[in-house]
């Protein structure tokens, strides 16, 4: 079965950086778009960004564009989220997600994603 495992979260001061990783297993990673979402307690999951199956197209939530970068390494079955210039409002649990359909660009809607990791906590102190 498809499994997604996130890592790289932690505590960082405002203005700092973190790089999250998500390792996928269970199918041909290079065929699928990947996305990152984040969630606060009691809130819905909020789209952060996505990368299409080729890695040639990325798109982001407005508030993180220019600070966050998504990339993928198909040889390592891994998608990354580089987060720079972090702000306290970036504090959340971050999840990676993947669709069941192949060869797509991904979307910003959580309902379009079928597989999720367990998440990694990111805390940004002021």
């Amino acid at each position: 079965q498809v499994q997604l495992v996130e890592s790289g979260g932690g505590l960082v001061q405002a203005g700092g950086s973190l790089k999250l990783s998500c390792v996928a297993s269970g199918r041909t990673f290079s065929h699928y778009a990947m996305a990152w979402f984040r969630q606060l307690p009691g809130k819905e999951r909020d789209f952060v960004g996505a990368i299409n199956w080729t890695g040639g197209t990325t798109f982001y939530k407005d508030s993180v564009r220019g600070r966050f970068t998504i990339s993928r390494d198909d040889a390592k079955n891994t998608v990354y989220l580089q987060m720079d210039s972090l702000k306290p409002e970036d504090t959340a649990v971050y999840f990676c997600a993947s669709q069941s359909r192949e060869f797509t660009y991904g979307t910003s809607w959580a309902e379009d994603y079928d597989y999720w990791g367990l998440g990694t906590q990111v805390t940004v102190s002021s």
Side-chain angles (χ1 to χ4, degrees), residues 20-47:
L20 306 184
S21 301
C22 171
V23 179
S25 61
R27 61 181 185 178
T28 305
F29 177 77
S30 61
H31 289 189
Y32 299 92
M34 300 294 295
W36 288 93
F37 288 77
R38 63 190 183 187
Q39 188 173 26
L40 289 171
K43 302 286 188 179
E44 294 185 353
R45 288 184 183 178
D46 185 37
F47 175 74

Side-chain angles (χ1 to χ4, degrees), residues 1-9 19-27 29 34-37 45 71 73 76-81 93-98 115-121:
Q1 70 276 23
V2 177
Q3 288 190 322
L4 304 176
V5 180
E6 304 94 338
S7 63
K19 186 173 185 177
L20 306 184
S21 301
C22 171
V23 179
S25 61
R27 61 181 185 178
F29 177 77
M34 300 294 295
W36 288 93
F37 288 77
R45 288 184 183 178
S71 60
D73 184 340
K76 295 183 178 179
N77 290 352
T78 302
V79 62
Y80 303 99
L81 179 65
V93 177
Y94 282 71
F95 298 87
C96 69
S98 186
Y115 303 105
W116 295 84
L118 295 180
T120 186
Q121 175 71 47

Side-chain angles (χ1 to χ4, degrees), residues 82-103:
Q82 176 68 45
M83 304 186 294
D84 299 317
S85 302
L86 282 161
K87 304 176 181 180
E89 51 264 42
D90 294 318
T91 295
V93 177
Y94 282 71
F95 298 87
C96 69
S98 186
Q99 296 178 312
S100 58
R101 290 181 298 141
E102 297 177 290
F103 313 123

